[in-house]
Amino acid sequence: MNQGMICCIRKDIKECLRTGKVVLFAGMVLGIGVMIMGFTLIFSDIPEELWAQLPGFNIESLEELVSTMYPKMVRESVGIFSYYIGFFFSMVVILVIHGMLPKEEKSGKWILPMEQGYSRIDFLMGKCVVYGSLAGGMVLIGYLLYYMIACGCMEQNMTFGNALVCGIVHGLNLFFIVAYTFLFSLLWKNPVVSAVSMIATIILVPDMTAYFSIGKILPTHLLRFVYDSSSAYGELVVPMLLNITFLVLLWFLVAWKKEQ
């Protein structure tokens, strides 16, 4: 890592603090965790209260619905938390960052630094490292905090080791999502295309490919892995390698395009 990249990383860290991105990302993770935990603790008692107030009322279907949506078991509950993170948190992150690099480039903010020896790749690296680490770190911390709180008020059926692996994987998911968004925003003329394609991918592909065996080797299986709170760690190898490979290829493609 050259001096230019290090300076860009420092600049982006200050930018995250100054513009409130740290507060936004932390608030999103906290809000999602409080919402899921609150709904689980509140709605899980509704069937029992109905049974007490309405003797003879058939509540089996209602109990099944509530237990499916908001299970009071640790593994299933953190899986739902992971899904909401993958859906809502990822969407907010993508919408916040997708236009950053094109906007900086078009507004002329890169002209003076490039005359001083900086390159476009330095700016790209700074954004990917800082925002990817910020989003991924917030998710990892939020995941482990949610797991520990859930262990205190739900049926324990998930080990801490399993939770740690899933938390790390989900943190990497957000890092990959951020990196892909930045790379595509410079690859395509309209950064909105980058945002729309990434949102569509993380929302649709994991659920669609879950019904096919090939889905387990696609990069998006890392999302499915944490949604299911899986412990089949062997399934992580191929999707992780594919994500890294695609990022490297995209990186060289963007670098080549920007040098033209």
Side-chain angles (χ1 to χ4, degrees):
M1 187 177 294
N2 59 42
Q3 188 63 34
M5 287 185 181
I6 294 174
C7 290
C8 287
I9 289 172
R10 290 174 179 171
K11 173 189 73 69
D12 288 318
I13 291 174
K14 294 178 181 178
E15 179 184 89
C16 286
L17 295 171
R18 177 177 54 81
T19 59
K21 300 296 191 307
V22 174
V23 176
L24 173 63
F25 292 173
M28 279 289 299
V29 174
L30 177 63
I32 291 172
V34 170
M35 180 185 69
I36 301 302
M37 184 66 69
F39 284 172
T40 301
L41 298 179
I42 293 171
F43 290 128
S44 61
D45 294 330
I46 287 180
E48 295 181 4
E49 293 180 3
L50 283 176
W51 177 261
Q53 297 179 18
L54 300 173
F57 180 72
N58 186 353
I59 61 170
E60 291 182 359
S61 58
L62 181 59
E63 285 181 328
E64 183 177 352
L65 175 62
V66 171
S67 63
T68 300
M69 294 180 63
Y70 303 105
K72 213 169 181 179
M73 294 170 42
V74 174
R75 178 183 294 275
E76 288 73 12
S77 186
V78 295
I80 292 175
F81 170 73
S82 300
Y83 181 83
Y84 276 75
I85 288 290
F87 189 100
F88 292 108
F89 181 74
S90 297
M91 187 183 303
V92 170
V93 170
I94 291 169
L95 293 175
V96 167
I97 70 172
H98 78 280
M100 283 185 176
L101 287 173
K103 185 177 180 180
E104 287 185 1
E105 186 177 25
K106 290 179 181 179
S107 65
K109 290 183 177 181
W110 293 2
I111 296 176
L112 184 58
M114 289 179 65
E115 290 178 350
Q116 301 300 317
Y118 292 87
S119 70
R120 291 180 173 86
I121 298 303
D122 292 335
F123 300 118
L124 175 59
M125 172 65 81
K127 285 288 191 294
C128 287
V129 170
V130 173
Y131 283 87
S133 299
L134 174 61
M138 290 297 179
V139 168
L140 172 59
I141 294 170
Y143 189 99
L144 294 179
L145 283 175
Y146 187 93
Y147 167 80
M148 288 186 285
I149 294 172
C151 285
C153 56
M154 300 181 191
E155 181 181 340
Q156 169 64 285
N157 63 344
M158 185 181 192
T159 65
F160 178 78
N162 190 193
L164 179 60
V165 172
C166 288
I168 292 172
V169 171
H170 216 17
L172 288 173
N173 282 334
L174 267 296
F175 184 92
F176 288 139
I177 288 170
V178 167
Y180 280 127
T181 303
F182 278 132
L183 287 166
F184 281 127
S185 72
L186 291 179
L187 193 60
W188 292 325
K189 292 183 178 180
N190 190 345
V192 174
V193 178
S194 169
V196 172
S197 61
M198 286 304 304
I199 291 173
T201 299
I202 62 176
I203 290 176
L204 299 176
V205 176
D207 289 334
M208 291 174 59
T209 57
Y211 299 99
F212 305 97
S213 58
I214 194 174
K216 291 187 177 182
I217 65 173
L218 297 178
T220 51
H221 183 63
L222 296 182
L223 288 168
R224 187 78 260 166
F225 184 91
V226 292
Y227 294 167
D228 295 338
S229 300
S230 177
S231 57
Y233 305 131
E235 296 179 359
L236 295 173
V237 178
V238 176
M240 191 72 71
L241 290 176
L242 284 178
N243 266 306
I244 295 172
T245 301
F246 289 157
L247 279 180
V248 171
L249 292 175
L250 272 175
W251 182 272
F252 282 110
L253 182 59
V254 170
W256 173 80
K257 181 181 178 181
K258 289 302 176 181
E259 293 299 327
Q260 301 302 307

